[in-house]
Amino acid sequence: AQSVTQLDSHVSVSEGTPVLLRCNYSSSYSPSLFWYVQHPNKGLQLLLKYTSAATLVKGINGFEAEFKKSETSFHLTKPSAHMSDAAEYFCVVSVTTNAGGTSYGKLTFGQGTILTVHP
Amino acid sequence: DGGITQSPKYLFRKEGQNVTLSCEQNLNHDAMYWYRQDPGQGLRLIYYSQIVNDFQKGDIAEGYSVSREKKESFPLTVTSAQKNPTAFYLCASSKEWGRTYEQYFGPGTRLTVT
């Protein structure tokens, strides 16, 4: 079984200060990991993904995340927050499992972290 | 521009009525998905389709039905059997079915049933 825990339901930062959104995962197999962002009443947009290549992954809008297998973590960071970063962020894990002989990928979503950016 | 469209953005229905949510993609993706989002609960998978004319139940399929007659279309019907239908519904697609393929999401449909 796989699971994702986002350690903070809300994070508040000032504009121009660093952002850290924490994510721990549990998986019996080698996972792929994703971070998505969702602005109010919108769909989800992919920020970045890890699929067993480089452990430090760079994404859009200056975000990056580091896959740490020993800590089962995939924390999202950004050096300097911008007002437009205010949104909800989801950490997602995907593993390949088998159902009826067919391998497939299933996404498991974290509960989300709401990021507030103060001027 | 390629992408996923969902319509309508807002939908209101009376209890006991079936309602169908539209999802269309022009990304030429094989796999499509329907999720339900409730406040503080992340996304939960309702149905998925690996390829046209095939679909499988996700984690919370009860009270929902789908069809996949065309590659670009994956409509979701919320039936009167769904006990708590009011939610934000998101459709997604991926190039193929597998753990390394990211999913692309539509803008969502907010369904309110009274």
Side-chain angles (χ1 to χ4, degrees):
Chain A
Q2 59 195 42
S3 66
V4 178
T5 302
Q6 292 184 240
L7 298 169
D8 306 290
S9 58
H10 290 82
V11 170
S12 181
V13 301
S14 297
E15 192 174 20
T17 65
V19 175
L20 170 64
L21 304 183
R22 299 182 294 163
C23 172
N24 286 352
Y25 71 92
S26 171
S27 172
S28 302
Y29 306 93
S30 295
S32 292
L33 292 155
F34 308 84
W35 275 99
Y36 284 87
V37 61
Q38 184 180 33
H39 290 90
N41 293 309
K42 303 287 187 186
L44 277 69
Q45 180 185 16
L46 180 70
L47 280 177
L48 49 81
K49 71 173 184 178
Y50 165 79
T51 56
S52 74
T55 57
L56 182 61
V57 181
K58 293 188 185 300
I60 62 171
N61 300 335
F63 285 95
E64 64 180 39
E66 186 171 7
F67 174 70
K68 292 187 176 180
K69 187 176 181 179
S70 60
E71 298 176 12
T72 61
S73 70
F74 190 57
H75 301 334
L76 181 70
T77 61
K78 183 174 180 177
S80 176
H82 191 273
M83 295 296 289
S84 61
D85 295 328
E88 188 164 16
Y89 292 78
F90 292 95
C91 182
V92 183
V93 63
S94 176
V95 297
T96 300
T97 58
N98 288 309
T102 302
S103 70
Y104 67 96
K106 178 185 173 183
L107 297 188
T108 298
F109 286 77
Q111 304 297 339
T113 298
I114 295 173
L115 175 65
T116 302
V117 182
H118 298 287
Chain B
D1 286 336
I4 299 177
T5 57
Q6 291 184 245
S7 60
K9 188 173 176 66
Y10 298 96
L11 193 53
F12 298 88
R13 280 293 182 270
K14 295 289 188 185
E15 198 172 317
Q17 293 179 335
N18 291 354
V19 59
T20 297
L21 281 59
S22 167
C23 176
E24 303 279 331
Q25 55 100 357
N26 61 3
L27 300 167
N28 199 33
H29 285 174
D30 282 331
M32 296 188 74
Y33 315 79
W34 272 106
Y35 293 92
R36 170 185 172 132
Q37 185 176 24
D38 297 283
Q41 294 195 41
L43 275 68
R44 292 181 290 170
L45 181 65
I46 304 172
Y47 267 97
Y48 62 93
S49 169
Q50 296 181 60
I51 201 164
V52 66
N53 292 322
D54 173 79
F55 52 84
Q56 304 292 333
K57 292 181 179 179
D59 298 322
I60 55 164
E62 185 175 349
Y64 300 97
S65 66
V66 293
S67 63
R68 186 87 187 276
E69 298 174 0
K70 297 187 294 183
K71 185 175 185 177
E72 58 270 21
S73 179
F74 191 41
L76 172 75
T77 296
V78 184
T79 75
S80 56
Q82 167 52 231
K83 291 182 170 47
N84 296 297
T86 294
F88 190 48
Y89 290 87
L90 287 159
C91 178
S93 70
S94 62
K95 184 174 182 291
E96 292 181 26
W97 179 243
R99 72 172 179 88
T100 62
Y101 294 101
E102 65 266 32
Q103 294 182 14
Y104 294 80
F105 286 80
T109 292
R110 188 166 295 281
L111 173 65
T112 302
V113 177
T114 57

